[in-house]
Amino acid sequence: MSETSSPTFDPPLDGGPLDGFFDRSAVDVARDLIGAKLTLEGVGGIIVETEAYEADDPASHSFGGQTPRNRSMFGPAGHVYVYRSYGIHWCLNVVCRTASAVLVRAIEPVWELEKMQNRRSRTDLKTLCSGPGRLTEALAVTRAHDGLPLLSLPFGFALPAMDPPVAVGRRIGITKAVDRPWRFGVMGSPFLSRKFPDRPAA
């Protein structure tokens, strides 16, 4: 895709067909987010990779209970949970059913490409947003966005008109519950942080 102007999403961001979409299992939401449009102040693209983290998941930040850092995970579904990973980069998550969330791992950059390229000091589109830290730097996500609703400005969000072919695999960069196949992505996408096995999700 090569669109550069700010998007107009359909359906509208507030409610409508999206009512209750995020108040479900994080695994279901993670799969259904693949192909969705995501922007922050008009900058963004298409979600091509996600990971699910459930409340009873040893790899989840919420597993040990509520803390100041993970407070947003215990808040309303459809709100954003932002945390800093390894003290280096921000990670963007969407809260699902209580104390669960979906990590947005990669997007295909589509809108306001020049802004994203300037923020990341690189022009290669394949690696521009191919990883949690890369995409948050490109979208200028910070801790200030923690707890905000995804379905309201400054965010923009819309589900895909057609479901893309989805691949499934194990999550990346964790040491607990490593065998759970809770990473999802667009099969064959060049914008992924890591390739998937060549098989569709069930």
Side-chain angles (χ1 to χ4, degrees):
M1 299 184 182
S2 60
E3 301 175 51
T4 57
S5 59
S6 297
T8 300
F9 292 151
D10 185 23
L13 302 180
D14 51 345
L18 293 173
D19 281 344
F21 175 81
F22 295 103
D23 191 15
R24 301 182 292 147
S25 160
V27 176
D28 293 337
V29 174
R31 190 190 191 288
D32 292 345
L33 282 176
I34 300 301
K37 302 172 184 178
L38 173 66
T39 62
L40 177 56
E41 296 185 350
V43 179
I46 307 299
I47 297 175
V48 296
E49 186 180 353
T50 60
E51 284 181 344
Y53 291 87
E54 295 283 9
D56 61 351
D57 175 8
S60 175
H61 288 179
S62 64
F63 187 70
Q66 185 172 341
T67 68
R69 182 197 193 200
N70 68 16
R71 181 177 61 250
S72 293
M73 288 192 73
F74 294 82
H79 285 227
V80 168
Y81 167 46
V82 178
Y83 68 89
R84 193 183 288 277
S85 178
Y86 300 109
I88 301 172
H89 56 253
W90 299 108
C91 291
L92 176 66
N93 304 259
V94 184
V95 178
C96 302
R97 187 169 292 162
T98 303
S100 67
V102 173
L103 171 65
V104 182
R105 284 199 57 90
I107 65 172
E108 175 184 347
V110 178
W111 297 287
E112 302 289 357
L113 297 179
E114 186 174 351
K115 286 186 179 180
M116 289 188 277
Q117 290 167 330
N118 289 339
R119 289 168 178 171
R120 296 218 56 238
S121 300
R122 65 173 60 240
T123 58
D124 178 39
L125 295 184
K126 290 183 180 180
T127 59
L128 192 61
C129 302
S130 61
R134 292 174 176 177
L135 79 85
T136 53
E137 184 178 21
L139 271 59
V141 174
T142 71
R143 182 70 176 181
H145 298 105
D146 182 54
L148 297 181
L150 186 68
L151 301 184
S152 299
L153 297 174
F155 290 100
F157 176 83
L159 295 176
M162 298 181 61
D163 293 333
V166 176
V168 61
R170 296 177 180 177
R171 295 175 296 184
I172 298 172
I174 58 174
T175 58
K176 299 177 181 178
V178 295
D179 291 330
R180 299 184 186 184
W182 287 357
R183 182 169 71 103
F184 302 91
V186 175
M187 184 175 292
S189 171
F191 304 99
L192 299 170
S193 66
R194 188 180 298 179
K195 292 182 179 180
F196 283 83
D198 292 329
R199 62 187 180 89

